[in-house]
Amino acid sequence: MKKLIRFYLLVCLSGLSLQSFAAKVDSLDIPSAAMQKTYRAAVVLPDSYTKSKATYPVLYLLHGGGGQFSDWLRQTPDKKLLHKLADQYNLIIVTPEGEKLGGYLNSPVQKDNQFETYITKEVVDKIDNTYRTIRDRKGRVITGLSMGGHGALYLATRHPDLYCAAGSMSGALDLNIGSWRIPPEFAKQITPGFERILGPMGATPDAYAANSVVNMTDQMKANDVKLIFDCGVDDFLIEPNRELHRRLVYKNVPHDYTERPGGHTWDYWENALGYHMLFFDKVLKANGGVAMSRK
């Protein structure tokens, strides 16, 4: 009898565990007037969304330079990672498209690469007009990995009216690849992608410097955007991350910076995202940017 009771309790607890992370994933087409294209985004809605009329904070989560919008749902070791985080922190998670080496910026030379406008204007507007969101910076945060890490800090620095906090995981924080720990073959492989959106590296160095987050510390100091970024000690992008940290310390800009064991891997990013969520949750609560019922 005791064994039967224990078995029943185990089954019940297992069921509760499965039900506790019941977030829903939408696939949403988001057109871009700036680029005359339509891209797809994934939207993770917490389980509570359909059970209430509350408005919700939103995390914009950006993919890396070789990836696409679905990476955060398909590439993490735990395929339910975003479902769990959406339910745990009671917020909406949006993973928009940034294309391969799109840079999350408005290219001065490639007119069909205007991802700064797309992410900050067209995606935000579509999400706010489709879902019950907190339509204010106090309820928006943004982070990403690698190219998406640079993109998140870049967009938040240039648009502090949109986001209250921003982060980067293993971010390519300096677009001058000379600061990266990479072999010449890899540098040769990725150079055409950068030159497509910013022009020849040797001929337009100012464009690379002006669009590199590592050179934006004065703007970061002037903004009221809470910052968190980290990098693995074995990552080829560790030096640009250390340099941004040094410059922020020198300018007395508050930020959260961490180095952990690991490299440029999904195991690292899955672990890092949990820390970003803790940081964002604290900022959102301090702002009053948490899920709120409509009156």
Side-chain angles (χ1 to χ4, degrees), residues 15-288:
L16 287 173
S17 178
L18 289 172
Q19 293 172 7
S20 63
F21 298 113
K24 173 190 174 186
V25 180
D26 282 353
S27 182
L28 189 66
D29 288 334
I30 304 180
S32 171
M35 295 185 281
Q36 296 297 303
K37 297 180 183 179
T38 295
Y39 294 104
R40 184 154 290 186
V43 182
V44 185
L45 300 171
D47 183 47
S48 65
Y49 185 86
T50 58
K51 302 174 182 178
S52 75
K53 294 183 179 180
T55 55
Y56 286 76
V58 182
L59 163 65
Y60 289 88
L61 184 58
L62 308 183
H63 65 76
Q68 58 183 331
F69 79 94
S70 58
D71 279 6
W72 275 104
L73 289 164
R74 296 180 177 177
Q75 301 295 338
T76 52
D78 181 357
K79 299 301 183 286
K80 292 294 183 181
L81 175 66
L82 299 194
H83 303 67
K84 295 175 181 178
L85 293 174
D87 280 349
Q88 181 180 352
Y89 292 100
N90 210 30
L91 85 172
I92 297 170
I93 301 176
V94 178
T95 63
E97 180 61 55
E99 283 196 343
K100 296 185 185 302
L101 288 179
Y104 297 106
L105 51 81
N106 285 346
S107 169
V109 295
Q110 193 79 16
K111 297 307 178 185
D112 64 350
N113 195 113
Q114 306 295 306
F115 279 98
E116 178 179 357
T117 296
Y118 180 64
I119 299 294
T120 61
K121 174 62 177 173
E122 296 170 326
V123 172
V124 169
D125 284 353
K126 181 68 172 180
I127 296 300
D128 282 349
N129 289 318
T130 305
Y131 301 97
R132 297 190 313 273
T133 63
I134 297 173
R135 301 185 179 193
D136 188 276
R137 72 182 298 273
K138 71 179 182 180
R140 289 192 205 97
V141 295
I142 186 169
T143 190
L145 67 89
S146 196
M147 179 185 79
H150 180 274
L153 294 182
Y154 179 87
L155 296 176
T157 300
R158 289 172 58 84
H159 301 271
D161 56 311
L162 291 180
Y163 312 98
C164 63
S168 168
M169 293 165 269
S170 311
L173 305 184
D174 190 346
L175 301 183
N176 173 13
I177 62 175
S179 65
W180 301 8
R181 293 179 179 175
I182 55 174
E185 305 79 41
F186 184 33
K188 186 177 181 180
Q189 180 182 345
I190 64 174
T191 294
F194 280 97
E195 293 189 336
R196 179 182 66 84
I197 59 174
L198 288 172
M201 288 187 177
T204 57
D206 290 347
Y208 287 79
N211 286 285
S212 291
V213 163
V214 74
N215 298 321
M216 296 181 173
T217 51
D218 285 336
Q219 291 168 266
M220 292 176 178
K221 186 177 179 64
N223 296 338
D224 182 29
V225 177
K226 310 304 180 187
L227 304 173
I228 178 172
F229 63 106
D230 58 79
C231 194
V233 294
D234 298 319
D235 197 299
F236 63 88
L237 292 169
I238 187 66
E239 290 305 329
N241 281 269
R242 287 173 173 168
E243 182 60 22
L244 177 61
H245 170 57
R246 285 191 288 263
R247 293 185 184 190
L248 290 173
V249 170
Y250 179 77
K251 292 184 180 293
N252 198 29
V253 181
H255 65 286
D256 187 309
Y257 175 65
T258 306
E259 293 182 10
R260 300 188 185 91
H264 213 70
T265 68
W266 279 102
D267 285 321
Y268 180 88
W269 300 321
E270 177 175 301
N271 180 60
L273 183 57
Y275 291 96
H276 284 229
M277 293 303 302
L278 286 170
F279 181 88
F280 292 149
D281 186 56
K282 183 177 180 180
V283 175
L284 290 169
K285 286 178 177 175
N287 289 346

Side-chain angles (χ1 to χ4, degrees), residues 5-15:
I5 292 173
R6 284 199 295 269
F7 176 75
Y8 177 77
L9 288 173
L10 180 61
V11 171
C12 290
L13 289 173
S14 297

